[in-house]
Amino acid sequence: MSSEKVFRALNEQLNAELRNAYLYLAMASFFAEKGLSGFSHFFRVQAREELGHAMKIYDYILDRGGRVVLSDVPAPKQSWDSILSAVSDFVRSEEENTRRIWRLVDVAREEGDKATEVFLNWFVEEQVEEEKLAQGLLAKVKLVGDNPVALLALDRELAKREE
Ligand code: MG
């Protein structure tokens, strides 16, 4: 019952979630190289979450009798000038993702696709959490500034993020 237009938009979002997973894996490796294993762990968990989001869409497309179309996942940015710049990219990427989800809701609405609209509610709510998480981390990184002791304390806190 879903239209080709909806399936196309869902497949695009599936790809966007994979792109985000790729970006966060790059961030995890960037922080590991810096010796910040807590930050690295945080982004590794985040990458796995994005993969989970992609799979949620993947399963939904199949449940609706659509075809999953996997397209290229381009190489992400892999190095940053500073911790602040990497974490700012995290915020930007989640804000962009929110905009993409909202556009996807618009497509479902335009097509009168109630099921997809309801399915996407989970993602709308999830983005509220994702933006909060990213902005919270950015605020802490700004507070830490150039203080290595505070940075190591934050790193220890991030190491505790649950899988
Ligand atoms: Mg996501």
Side-chain angles (χ1 to χ4, degrees):
M1 279 285 288
S2 289
S3 68
E4 279 310 312
K5 194 174 170 189
V6 166
F7 284 134
R8 202 164 35 243
L10 285 168
N11 273 307
E12 277 168 18
Q13 185 58 33
L14 198 171
N15 184 264
E17 300 288 352
L18 292 173
R19 280 205 310 271
N20 279 350
Y22 234 37
L23 175 65
Y24 300 148
L25 278 180
M27 288 182 181
S29 131
F30 166 76
F31 285 115
E33 278 172 32
K34 284 193 167 306
L36 292 168
S37 57
F39 277 82
S40 179
H41 167 79
F42 177 95
F43 280 103
R44 187 186 276 250
V45 173
Q46 191 62 32
R48 208 173 293 141
E49 270 206 13
E50 300 309 335
L51 192 55
H53 297 163
M55 290 313 295
K56 226 178 161 72
I57 297 169
Y58 178 101
D59 286 337
Y60 180 75
I61 293 172
L62 293 181
D63 285 348
R64 298 292 291 158
R67 172 184 276 185
V68 169
V69 180
L70 297 173
S71 33
D72 288 352
V73 181
K77 186 171 173 181
Q78 294 178 56
S79 73
W80 289 266
D81 293 339
S82 64
I83 296 167
L84 183 66
S85 140
V87 174
S88 299
D89 275 0
F90 176 34
V91 172
R92 231 185 328 271
S93 143
E94 286 308 321
E95 286 174 349
E96 258 171 42
N97 201 52
T98 297
R99 279 192 290 275
R100 270 196 301 265
I101 295 285
W102 288 6
R103 277 200 301 271
L104 192 46
V105 172
D106 288 340
V107 171
R109 281 208 183 126
E110 283 157 23
E111 296 291 296
D113 189 334
K114 317 289 185 230
T116 300
E117 211 182 313
V118 170
F119 167 73
L120 290 172
N121 275 344
W122 184 90
F123 284 87
V124 171
E125 284 172 3
E126 176 68 8
Q127 281 312 117
V128 173
E129 289 307 310
E130 297 286 51
E131 282 186 48
K132 183 175 147 193
L133 182 71
Q135 272 155 3
L137 181 58
L138 181 62
K140 283 178 184 167
V141 165
K142 282 181 178 165
L143 277 175
V144 161
D146 290 330
N147 182 336
V149 175
L151 180 62
L152 289 176
L154 178 56
D155 191 58
R156 274 194 299 277
E157 185 195 318
L158 294 177
K160 292 181 198 144
R161 180 172 184 188
E162 286 181 21
E163 307 272 329

